[in-house]
Amino acid sequence: MNSASLIATLALVRDTFREAFARRIFWGFFVCSSLFLFALAFIFRIDFSAGPPMVHSFQGTLAVAIYYVGTALSVFASASLVSVMFEPGRIELLLSKPVSRTHLLLGRYLGNLAVVAANVIYLTGGAWLIFGLKTGVWGGGFLLSALCMIFVFAVLLAVIVLAAVVLDSAVVATMITFGILFAAAILAQRFSIERLLSSESSRQLVELLYYVLPKTSDISGIVWKLSVQEPVESWMPVWSSGLFGAAVLAAGIRHFQKRSF
Amino acid sequence: MSAYAIQTEGLTKVFRNQWAGAELRAVDDISLSVPAGTAFGLLGPNGAGKTTFVKLLLSCCIPTAGRAMIFGQDSSRPEARRPVGYLPENHRFPTYLTGHDMLDFYGALSGMDSAARRRRIPELLHLVGLEERAHHLRLSSYSKGMLQRVGLAQALMHSPKLLVLDEPSDGVDPVGRHHIRAVLQELGKQGVTVFLNSHLLAEVEQFCTSVAIIQKGRVALSGSVEELTRGSGYRVEAVDVPEQLATELRAGARSAAQINGSLELFFATREEANGAIDRLRAAGVAVESLGRTRSTLEDVFIRTVEQKAA
């Protein structure tokens, strides 16, 4: 990447941050996270005389809660940050600059991801610090779970980007992303579902959907295991979700490259 | 570098509505060349395809056929757009930014480093006449005229060689318009090519050296403003013409006007005009002025649009 590209990338990321600040998205997250950390530090009585396992168990529960609530809030907040870029009168000026369309879209994507990552790191890092100071237990699993959260958001953000590029609507992009989250939660129970299906082809379809779509529910299990310091048996949910995210993001970029504004 | 700032070859854009089965040829096979260093005006009635042409030129819109080149490079290549400054029509600048920050953002997208941006921003904000206190106000509190000015500053941020302006005076008061014109004239002197898309024909006539009039997506007329507005007749003005001679000359002229003792005569041919001058001089009458008759760009525009519509 040459210096002009780097300057443009940083400008796009910084612009997304500024827009998140202006729309109070960043501050909304920040205030909620700060209130939670304040409660954790001064209101909740954290006295785990049972030792590290108890602390890790509490951290695991907390990490899964942050994973689900944080992901849902991030999807809500991010959909508008992506689609606003395609507003008439704004997109033309961006496209007239000596920056490729791929670069523009990825710059916005990275900026959006950075906004959410900053908040996730603040929240989980703050909680980890408070737990450590209060209990003396400093396991790093809880911090690693933050990476999983950011990763899942990156996958879902790819869906938001594709939906926003194709449909030009923040609302529809949000609906589609939540649809995928919902489908992933159902497909996580695929063995139970398959028992209810009579035909082999239906069962194969469920299997196919399970492997194709991101495995957000399964990853919540990994978040739990990382937090409670248990070994993760399979990283398949992570890498297959990553493949899905990469494919969807590539489709979004391809559509953006061919679109007339 | 190419001698042409802009070249298009068979540029065409067809919008299709697959549901309704309808199609619109917004830009239809336009081949246009704009020499570097000139001021070029693109004119046309509403919906003629002017803005679509500009969007195709800057690769905001993907052409159905043909191609556009900027200084000899295909405009779909990001690098080809580096020498371009653009002010879109109906722009929507990020209102959460201040004037200063907005220039900083677009300057960075043009590849300027932070030191160059820091130097250039105050210089440009002063150039377009934005007061100091406005520099750090959010764009949401700017008036339409202020937004146009800061928009122009944005287009000039990286010292472009080609400036593409879509209705730059839209919403600007006459003083502001004069100011913008002065800025553009100064840029013209520095060799910057200005491509102006405007409804304000008087403005185009004052500033541009060449124009193209497009209608229904096609070039209906193009040429230098001088050529297009040059009339086909001659005008002779004289004062204190004896009544008898005035009557005779009026009879031979295409038209005539008497204003405060000055007689203006319009002749179709050079010979007729010279014959009138001979007679005036023979009678000892002083010729006040003479020259070719001129049409305004508005006359040319209306004539062209009406002819094509007919």
Side-chain angles (χ1 to χ4, degrees), chain B residues 225-258:
Chain B
V225 173
E226 179 64 32
E227 277 170 20
L228 296 175
T229 57
R230 187 186 296 154
S232 53
Y234 296 82
R235 184 188 58 81
V236 178
E237 185 188 3
V239 287
D240 300 330
V241 183
E243 192 53 45
Q244 177 63 28
L245 180 57
T247 308
E248 287 170 20
L249 289 173
R250 269 199 206 98
R254 192 166 66 183
S255 64
Q258 181 91 42

Coordinates of all heavy atoms in Angstrom, one line a residue, chain B residues 225-258:
Chain B
V225 N -17.7 29.8 -28.1 CA -18.7 30.8 -27.8 C -18.7 31.9 -28.8 O -19.7 32.4 -29.3 CB -18.5 31.3 -26.4 CG1 -19.5 32.5 -26.1 CG2 -18.7 30.2 -25.3
E226 N -17.5 32.3 -29.2 CA -17.3 33.4 -30.2 C -18.0 33.0 -31.5 O -18.8 33.8 -32.0 CB -15.8 33.5 -30.4 CG -15.4 34.6 -31.4 CD -15.8 36.0 -31.0 OE1 -15.8 36.2 -29.8 OE2 -16.1 36.8 -31.9
E227 N -17.8 31.8 -32.0 CA -18.4 31.4 -33.2 C -19.9 31.3 -33.1 O -20.6 31.7 -34.0 CB -17.9 30.0 -33.6 CG -16.6 30.0 -34.4 CD -16.1 28.5 -34.5 OE1 -16.9 27.6 -34.4 OE2 -14.9 28.4 -34.7
L228 N -20.3 30.7 -32.0 CA -21.8 30.4 -31.9 C -22.6 31.7 -31.7 O -23.7 31.7 -32.1 CB -22.0 29.4 -30.7 CG -21.4 28.0 -30.9 CD1 -21.7 27.2 -29.6 CD2 -22.1 27.3 -32.0
T229 N -22.0 32.7 -31.1 CA -22.8 33.9 -30.8 C -22.5 34.9 -31.9 O -23.2 36.0 -31.9 CB -22.4 34.5 -29.4 OG1 -21.0 34.7 -29.4 CG2 -22.8 33.6 -28.3
R230 N -21.6 34.6 -32.8 CA -21.4 35.6 -33.9 C -22.6 35.6 -34.8 O -23.0 34.6 -35.3 CB -20.2 35.2 -34.7 CG -19.8 36.3 -35.7 CD -18.6 35.8 -36.6 NE -17.4 35.5 -35.8 CZ -16.5 34.7 -36.2 NH1 -16.7 34.0 -37.3 NH2 -15.4 34.5 -35.4
G231 N -23.2 36.8 -35.0 CA -24.3 36.9 -35.8 C -23.9 36.9 -37.3 O -22.8 37.0 -37.6
S232 N -24.9 36.9 -38.1 CA -24.6 36.8 -39.6 C -24.6 38.2 -40.2 O -24.3 38.4 -41.4 CB -25.7 35.9 -40.3 OG -27.0 36.4 -40.0
G233 N -25.0 39.3 -39.4 CA -25.1 40.6 -40.0 C -24.1 41.6 -39.4 O -23.1 41.2 -38.7
Y234 N -24.3 42.9 -39.8 CA -23.4 44.0 -39.4 C -24.2 45.1 -38.8 O -25.3 45.4 -39.3 CB -22.6 44.4 -40.6 CG -21.7 43.3 -41.2 CD1 -22.2 42.4 -42.0 CD2 -20.4 43.3 -40.8 CE1 -21.4 41.3 -42.5 CE2 -19.6 42.2 -41.3 CZ -20.1 41.3 -42.1 OH -19.3 40.2 -42.6
R235 N -23.6 45.8 -37.9 CA -24.2 46.9 -37.2 C -23.4 48.2 -37.5 O -22.2 48.2 -37.3 CB -24.3 46.6 -35.7 CG -25.1 47.6 -34.9 CD -25.0 47.3 -33.4 NE -23.6 47.3 -33.0 CZ -22.9 48.4 -32.8 NH1 -23.4 49.6 -32.8 NH2 -21.6 48.3 -32.4
V236 N -24.1 49.3 -37.9 CA -23.4 50.5 -38.1 C -24.2 51.6 -37.2 O -25.4 51.7 -37.3 CB -23.5 51.0 -39.5 CG1 -22.9 52.4 -39.7 CG2 -22.8 50.0 -40.4
E237 N -23.4 52.3 -36.4 CA -24.0 53.3 -35.6 C -23.5 54.7 -35.9 O -22.2 54.9 -36.1 CB -23.7 53.0 -34.1 CG -24.5 54.0 -33.2 CD -24.0 53.8 -31.7 OE1 -23.1 53.0 -31.4 OE2 -24.6 54.5 -30.8
A238 N -24.4 55.7 -36.2 CA -23.9 57.0 -36.5 C -24.8 58.0 -35.8 O -25.9 57.7 -35.4 CB -24.0 57.2 -38.0
V239 N -24.2 59.2 -35.6 CA -25.0 60.3 -34.9 C -25.2 61.5 -35.8 O -24.5 61.7 -36.8 CB -24.2 60.8 -33.6 CG1 -24.3 59.7 -32.5 CG2 -22.8 61.2 -33.9
D240 N -26.3 62.2 -35.5 CA -26.7 63.4 -36.3 C -26.8 63.1 -37.8 O -26.2 63.8 -38.6 CB -25.7 64.5 -36.0 CG -25.6 64.9 -34.5 OD1 -26.7 64.7 -33.9 OD2 -24.6 65.3 -34.1
V241 N -27.5 62.0 -38.1 CA -27.7 61.7 -39.5 C -28.9 62.5 -40.0 O -29.9 62.6 -39.4 CB -28.1 60.2 -39.6 CG1 -28.2 59.8 -41.1 CG2 -27.0 59.3 -39.0
P242 N -28.7 63.3 -41.2 CA -29.8 64.1 -41.7 C -31.0 63.2 -42.0 O -30.9 62.0 -42.4 CB -29.2 64.6 -43.0 CG -27.7 64.5 -42.9 CD -27.5 63.3 -42.0
E243 N -32.2 63.8 -41.8 CA -33.4 63.0 -41.9 C -33.6 62.3 -43.2 O -34.0 61.1 -43.2 CB -34.6 64.0 -41.6 CG -35.9 63.3 -41.4 CD -35.9 62.3 -40.2 OE1 -35.3 62.6 -39.2 OE2 -36.4 61.2 -40.4
Q244 N -33.3 63.0 -44.3 CA -33.5 62.4 -45.6 C -32.6 61.1 -45.8 O -33.1 60.0 -46.2 CB -33.1 63.4 -46.7 CG -33.2 62.9 -48.1 CD -34.6 62.5 -48.5 OE1 -35.6 63.0 -48.0 NE2 -34.7 61.5 -49.4
L245 N -31.3 61.3 -45.4 CA -30.4 60.1 -45.5 C -30.8 59.0 -44.6 O -30.7 57.8 -45.0 CB -29.0 60.6 -45.2 CG -27.8 59.6 -45.2 CD1 -27.7 58.9 -46.6 CD2 -26.5 60.2 -44.9
A246 N -31.2 59.4 -43.4 CA -31.6 58.3 -42.4 C -32.8 57.5 -43.0 O -32.8 56.3 -42.9 CB -32.1 59.0 -41.1
T247 N -33.7 58.2 -43.6 CA -34.9 57.5 -44.2 C -34.4 56.5 -45.3 O -34.9 55.4 -45.4 CB -35.9 58.5 -44.8 OG1 -36.1 59.5 -43.8 CG2 -37.2 57.8 -45.2
E248 N -33.5 57.0 -46.1 CA -33.0 56.2 -47.2 C -32.2 54.9 -46.7 O -32.4 53.8 -47.2 CB -32.1 57.0 -48.2 CG -32.9 58.0 -49.0 CD -31.9 59.0 -49.8 OE1 -30.7 58.6 -49.9 OE2 -32.4 60.0 -50.1
L249 N -31.4 55.2 -45.7 CA -30.6 54.1 -45.2 C -31.5 53.1 -44.5 O -31.3 51.9 -44.6 CB -29.6 54.6 -44.2 CG -28.4 55.4 -44.8 CD1 -27.5 56.0 -43.7 CD2 -27.5 54.5 -45.7
R250 N -32.5 53.6 -43.8 CA -33.4 52.7 -43.1 C -34.1 51.7 -44.1 O -34.3 50.5 -43.8 CB -34.5 53.5 -42.4 CG -34.2 53.8 -41.0 CD -35.5 54.2 -40.2 NE -35.1 55.1 -39.1 CZ -35.2 56.4 -39.1 NH1 -35.7 57.0 -40.2 NH2 -34.8 57.1 -38.1
A251 N -34.4 52.3 -45.2 CA -35.1 51.5 -46.3 C -34.2 50.3 -46.8 O -34.7 49.3 -47.1 CB -35.5 52.4 -47.4
G252 N -32.9 50.6 -46.8 CA -32.0 49.5 -47.3 C -31.5 48.6 -46.2 O -30.8 47.6 -46.5
A253 N -31.8 48.9 -44.9 CA -31.3 48.1 -43.8 C -32.3 47.0 -43.4 O -33.5 47.0 -43.8 CB -31.0 48.9 -42.6
R254 N -31.7 45.9 -42.8 CA -32.6 44.8 -42.3 C -33.4 45.3 -41.2 O -34.6 45.0 -41.1 CB -31.7 43.7 -41.9 CG -32.4 42.4 -41.6 CD -31.5 41.2 -41.5 NE -30.7 41.3 -40.3 CZ -29.7 40.5 -39.9 NH1 -29.4 39.5 -40.7 NH2 -29.0 40.7 -38.9
S255 N -32.8 46.1 -40.3 CA -33.6 46.8 -39.2 C -32.8 48.0 -38.8 O -31.7 48.2 -39.1 CB -33.8 45.8 -38.1 OG -32.6 45.5 -37.5
A256 N -33.5 48.9 -38.1 CA -32.9 50.1 -37.6 C -33.5 50.5 -36.3 O -34.6 50.2 -35.9 CB -33.0 51.2 -38.6
A257 N -32.7 51.3 -35.5 CA -33.2 51.8 -34.3 C -32.6 53.2 -34.0 O -31.5 53.5 -34.4 CB -32.8 50.9 -33.1
Q258 N -33.5 54.1 -33.5 CA -33.0 55.5 -33.3 C -33.0 55.7 -31.8 O -34.1 55.6 -31.1 CB -34.0 56.5 -33.9 CG -33.7 57.9 -33.8 CD -32.8 58.4 -34.9 OE1 -33.1 58.1 -36.1 NE2 -31.8 59.3 -34.6

